[in-house]
Amino acid sequence: MALACTLPRWAWAALQSAAADDPFALGVASGDPAPDGMVLWTRLLLPAAAAAATVQWEIAHDAAFRRIAQRGQAVADAALAHSVHVEAAGLEPDRWYFYRFMHGGAVSAVGRTRTAPAPGALPARLRLAYASCQRWEHGYYAAWRHLVDDAPDLVAFLGDYIYGYAAPPQPGGLPRTHPLRHARTLADYRDRYALHKSDPDLQAAHRACPWIVTWDDHEVENDYAGGTGRQGATDAFVRQRTAAWQAFYERMPLRASTLARGLGGLGAAGGVQLYRSIGWGRLAQVHLLDDRQFRAVQACREPGASTAAAVQPGACAALADPARSLLGAAQEAWLDAALARDAAGDGPHWSVIAQQTLFSPRRYPSGVVSTDNWDGYPAARERLLQSLQHHRPRNTVLLGGDIHQNYVCRVHAAPADPASPVVASEFCGTSITSHSGTTQQKVDAVARHNPHVLLADCDHRGYGLCDVTPSRWTTALRVVDDAARPDASIATLARFVVEDGRPGPQAA
Ligand code: FE
Ligand code: CA
């Protein structure tokens, strides 16, 4: 197996002994719930050279699988690392189910999943968790264990499922380490996912409910933009990106239509179809965005610069160039049309824009702005704000990640004018483990400088938990006391509500 070359000896030994009698040692997952079905995922741990294999699957009403709702078989394609993506259909809306896979004499762990409510129904509640950024060596996944206890209906994962960095040269002080090299090839990325998916807490979170996943930069490489990587727009980067995208698809509960256009790559058209909407009856419509694949290169990024730097707006004319987009023209038009649909008479109570990074402005006291988030694409942000004001969906909530800090913001019609009307609410989440790289003192100074920021906290790792009802949205910022400890406890750092028809979070 390719896995054998680079996985840490301990992890490999554990996986191999598990795989000897459990080809399902990397777990199961489900995703993208629809009113009549969802995606069921697993990956068979077989030698990379092994031919395609057949897997049986079952969906039941009960955990003992006495009342089978559906069963079938699927192919674990060798070209896709023996991954399995079953698209179940014909199930009943708004119901929990149990699922499992069989191969030879082996039976997988049992996962719990559910369908979405019927399109016209108005369910009383949706419990939606959002999370991002789980750098392996920065901590343990206690947050995922607590998320299972919080029993969400749906998890939105907003990017940085893996980080492709090489093993830290001096792991001293880090809670855990790995010996993997800087990821470049398909084998590298597959090993990296195997490392993450060997974690029991992460596996349990996937078994708990369906996930809706998107990616950010680290699924490929820090700060990449479209076809531009750390050494510029090179053929080598496009090959690396294609490998990374394939490994992502192989490991995520995504529909086959994600790859309908082909992976693309050097000399080949195509690309991964990741932006999409998930409906929850008339309660919520979640628009998941892809802010990496189609973005313009970060403003004033030097050719060949390995990261996107912060800039002084006055010294970077490209920043204001209206032609620059974070989502690309096609995705911008798709989102505009989706928001127009939401605003129609029978549209959802809550339009959720689940994307990768901080949407609201974050002006530093020094005057610089980041170029890798929406601050780096102000004209694109302006267009989305205009779209919201033009169509006026009933309530809009933005969810984000990437910054490894909790930010709660009022989203104003004019980002630079705190006296302009509030048009939406933003909850940008902290990381599961990844370090923030800043101090609370600095973050406090930023918050003082940005009056639309209601809470900014860099000291805590965790996830957000949203209880959504027709009349009220409540977000609890769930934080672990120490991500360096596998037995970390959980607490609520703060709670905010958004009332129906009244944009802007209020401290609860
Ligand atoms: Fe991150
Ligand atoms: Ca990121």
Side-chain angles (χ1 to χ4, degrees):
M1 279 188 222
L3 211 58
C5 311
T6 45
L7 254 195
R9 205 176 293 270
W10 54 267
W12 175 244
L15 269 181
Q16 202 167 36
S17 65
D21 39 32
D22 183 8
F24 299 108
L26 295 181
V28 301
S30 70
D32 281 28
D36 71 334
M38 72 293 289
V39 183
L40 306 179
W41 173 93
T42 192
R43 189 215 147 181
L44 280 181
L45 267 176
L46 295 177
T54 300
V55 172
Q56 284 76 42
W57 55 268
E58 288 180 340
I59 300 174
H61 294 283
D62 61 315
F65 289 81
R66 288 196 187 89
R67 292 175 53 225
I68 301 291
Q70 275 190 23
R71 52 163 54 107
Q73 54 182 37
V75 174
D77 186 352
L80 292 173
H82 299 99
S83 59
V84 178
H85 299 79
V86 173
E87 295 186 45
L91 299 170
E92 294 163 52
D94 206 7
R95 287 217 170 197
W96 285 96
Y97 291 94
F98 298 86
Y99 64 96
R100 64 182 177 186
F101 297 92
M102 282 84 74
H103 174 72
V107 183
S108 76
V110 173
R112 231 174 132 245
T113 190
R114 58 164 302 155
T115 51
L122 182 58
R125 201 192 75 157
L126 160 66
R127 178 167 272 198
L128 166 68
Y130 60 96
S132 60
C133 297
Q134 49 179 4
R135 189 158 169 180
W136 179 267
E137 61 270 29
H138 284 185
Y140 289 90
Y141 293 161
W144 287 128
R145 193 172 63 253
H146 293 295
L147 174 135
V148 172
D149 293 338
D150 280 340
D153 293 297
L154 191 62
V155 171
F157 191 84
L158 303 178
D160 293 357
Y161 193 98
I162 60 162
Y163 288 70
Y165 290 119
Q170 283 161 335
L174 289 171
R176 54 182 176 176
T177 185
H178 63 77
L180 301 179
R181 66 172 195 164
H182 183 101
R184 281 189 192 83
T185 67
L186 183 55
D188 291 339
Y189 285 105
R190 285 172 169 175
D191 284 349
R192 193 67 60 131
Y193 282 100
L195 174 74
H196 285 263
K197 285 195 169 280
S198 69
D199 187 280
D201 291 326
L202 178 58
Q203 288 193 9
H206 277 294
R207 285 198 306 272
C209 71
W211 287 33
I212 52 176
V213 300
T214 185
W215 57 26
D216 193 26
D217 51 344
H218 289 286
E219 279 80 357
V220 178
E221 183 180 275
N222 184 44
D223 285 357
Y224 91 93
T228 299
R230 64 212 292 261
Q231 264 130 27
T234 63
D235 289 357
F237 178 70
V238 173
R239 279 192 209 95
Q240 176 187 339
R241 189 187 73 167
T242 308
W245 285 358
Q246 178 174 336
F248 177 81
Y249 174 76
E250 289 171 354
R251 300 316 195 276
M252 294 295 145
L254 291 166
R255 293 182 187 274
S257 57
T258 309
L259 291 190
R261 291 181 293 128
L263 275 167
L266 207 55
V272 178
Q273 181 60 50
L274 208 52
Y275 63 83
R276 61 202 189 279
S277 292
I278 305 290
W280 210 262
R282 288 179 50 231
L283 181 60
Q285 192 74 29
V286 184
H287 308 295
L288 268 167
L289 307 189
D290 172 357
D291 85 353
R292 281 291 155 189
Q293 186 171 179
F294 308 106
R295 68 161 67 194
V297 172
Q298 293 89 355
C300 301
R301 181 172 179 170
E302 298 289 339
S306 63
T307 60
V311 299
Q312 285 285 353
C316 176
L319 200 61
D321 179 355
R324 296 178 63 258
S325 175
L326 186 66
L327 305 177
Q331 186 176 191
E332 280 191 18
W334 166 84
L335 182 57
D336 180 69
L339 293 170
R341 268 196 309 279
D342 284 2
D346 57 350
H349 281 238
W350 302 92
S351 295
V352 187
I353 302 178
Q355 44 87 56
Q356 284 77 11
T357 187
L358 184 66
F359 180 76
S360 296
R362 180 174 49 171
R363 287 173 290 268
Y364 292 98
S366 65
V368 301
V369 297
S370 310
T371 56
D372 193 58
N373 55 34
W374 287 89
D375 274 340
Y377 301 81
R381 177 165 58 201
E382 196 64 41
R383 287 192 291 273
L384 178 46
L385 285 166
Q386 277 164 12
S387 178
L388 286 174
Q389 289 167 268
H390 180 232
H391 301 303
R392 298 188 172 275
R394 182 165 175 157
N395 299 287
T396 303
V397 176
L398 289 120
L399 302 177
D402 174 49
I403 60 174
H404 309 169
Q405 306 172 48
N406 269 309
Y407 264 62
V408 176
C409 305
R410 285 190 203 107
V411 179
H412 288 272
D417 179 8
S420 66
V422 178
V423 295
S425 310
E426 175 169 27
F427 300 99
C428 187
T430 184
S431 53
I432 292 290
T433 53
S434 307
H435 294 162
S436 75
T438 185
T439 65
Q440 191 57 40
Q441 201 182 359
K442 289 182 189 165
V443 171
D444 287 341
V446 173
R448 282 195 297 273
H449 207 64
N450 292 266
H452 56 279
V453 175
L454 304 177
L455 177 146
D457 178 279
C458 72
D459 281 344
H460 296 90
R461 315 277 70 83
Y463 54 91
L465 190 66
C466 311
D467 279 309
V468 187
T469 72
S471 60
R472 175 183 275 204
W473 176 298
T474 306
T475 297
L477 306 179
R478 302 286 277 156
V479 295
V480 293
D481 62 341
D482 184 359
R485 295 173 56 100
D487 61 349
S489 63
I490 192 89
T492 295
L493 176 71
R495 203 176 257 114
F496 286 84
V497 301
V498 184
E499 304 285 356
D500 177 33
R502 188 176 166 200
Q506 306 165 59

